[in-house]
Amino acid sequence: MVNNSKLKKIAEELIGMSLSKFSSSQLKLKNHSKNNRLYYFIANDNKEYALKSYSKDKLHETKRLDVEFESLNYLFNYGKFNIPRPIARNNKENCGIYSWINGEKVNNICEKDVHQVVNFISNLFEVSRKKESYNLPNAKEACFSADVMVRQIFSRYNLLNKVSPFYNDLAEFLRDDFEPLLTPLVNITKKKYKYLNLNFNTEIPHEYKILSPSDFGFHNSIRNLNGELYFIDFEYFGWDDPAKLVGDFLLHPAIEDINFKLNEWKLFYKFIKKIFDFDNEFHSRLLLNLPLLSMRWSLILLNEFLPNNWERRVFSGEKKSRATVLKNQLKKARKYTRLVRWSINSDEKNFLSENYIDNFYLKSFN
């Protein structure tokens, strides 16, 4: 692990001048990442910067640094986005320097915030249509078909199942909460796809795809002094299905800590449908995949049961004991399996209605 004095020296070398202040950003902005450490510094040019130190392990190495730095650079060159500006990077030490965004974590959502998020997604879609974008990589765990999403769910399940003999509460969750839902959900989803004459296994055409931050939402935004939202964390950026981008935005666990009311949810959904109205299957694909995404999130929340993931969380500064964290994550995971159970038991005829999406919101926040 690189210590603070060495990181300060790296920062000075990268920007070519000495620093007047260098400290952990947690003192300045409570926007905690589970994968990285963030530092705030002021250089002798009186400008504010962020130094992001990425956790390093055999699975990720320097890729997250490269993806974030290059994607932000691309968006700066080809669009107008409220994002940090990439300044410099050191691949050997796995850290990057970005412009500092002064502001606060977003807690209460208003109509203006919804418009800003929708505009950001709309701008992403516009940039996605540029010919320069076509050779960019896929987002991490992109899902271009329901079949791919199901295979990802099984892959995550298998990883957790391997370590479940060492954790009785995890084994109980998988046996009693997760496994009884998986096969019925997949079968019902396939049935609904067939009913709508959609292909469960076929990848969506490229013209329907979008460049996605992949971990996009109010939880990864900062409200500056003028009320503008800036969006951060592009470590998993790349091509994805916009239905997955929107579904993850609506279902992200961090939304529990944000006052995102039903009226704002409905407004967001109304505008999003307009952006993608050229894709006749977008609306159906989103609603059909919400339960699958919920199952996926129930497993993502349990990443800390896996050794590498816990090490990254410790690297980022986690202070709670592992036992406490695992207990809390299991509680959150059960919320998603309850949501899936409700969707399986709901009236199949109403799964494309406005009431369905409203109820999905209401159930997901209870």
Side-chain angles (χ1 to χ4, degrees), residues 3 52 122 179 204 230 281:
N3 59 40
K52 192 171 184 178
S122 179
E179 291 170 4
I204 62 171
Y230 278 74
E281 298 178 357

Side-chain angles (χ1 to χ4, degrees), residues 29-167:
L29 177 68
K30 295 179 180 178
N31 200 14
H32 187 68
S33 168
K34 295 179 182 178
N35 297 315
N36 319 293
R37 289 184 173 182
L38 197 63
Y39 298 84
Y40 166 81
F41 69 89
I42 302 175
N44 279 354
D45 60 0
N46 289 324
K47 292 182 180 179
E48 297 174 296
Y49 299 89
L51 185 145
K52 192 171 184 178
S53 178
Y54 298 77
S55 60
K56 198 170 185 179
D57 58 53
K58 294 179 181 179
L59 294 176
H60 296 87
E61 297 179 347
T62 62
K63 188 176 181 182
R64 287 184 294 113
L65 163 62
D66 290 337
V67 170
E68 179 156 47
F69 195 92
E70 291 167 13
S71 63
L72 289 173
N73 194 51
Y74 183 82
L75 293 178
F76 254 104
N77 289 334
Y78 290 98
K80 294 182 179 180
F81 296 93
N82 284 356
I83 52 177
R85 179 183 291 275
I87 307 296
R89 58 180 159 175
N90 183 319
N91 285 82
K92 182 180 178 181
E93 301 297 346
N94 213 22
C95 59
I97 292 179
Y98 305 90
S99 59
W100 181 263
I101 308 299
N102 269 311
E104 298 179 345
K105 187 176 179 179
V106 176
N107 291 314
N108 295 296
I109 308 305
C110 63
E111 184 174 332
K112 180 182 176 181
D113 299 329
V114 173
H115 284 288
Q116 291 187 71
V117 166
V118 170
N119 286 338
F120 194 94
I121 294 175
S122 179
N123 290 339
L124 280 173
F125 185 71
E126 290 300 318
V127 169
S128 301
R129 308 280 65 81
K130 295 182 180 294
K131 63 180 182 179
E132 293 85 357
S133 300
Y134 284 14
N135 292 326
L136 293 175
N138 292 338
K140 184 185 178 185
E141 294 193 347
C143 293
F144 299 123
S145 72
D147 177 65
V148 169
M149 193 177 300
V150 169
R151 283 191 272 123
Q152 288 183 7
I153 291 170
F154 273 98
S155 177
R156 286 184 173 276
Y157 164 77
N158 289 334
L159 286 174
L160 288 167
N161 199 37
K162 286 180 181 178
V163 300
S164 65
F166 304 102
Y167 303 96

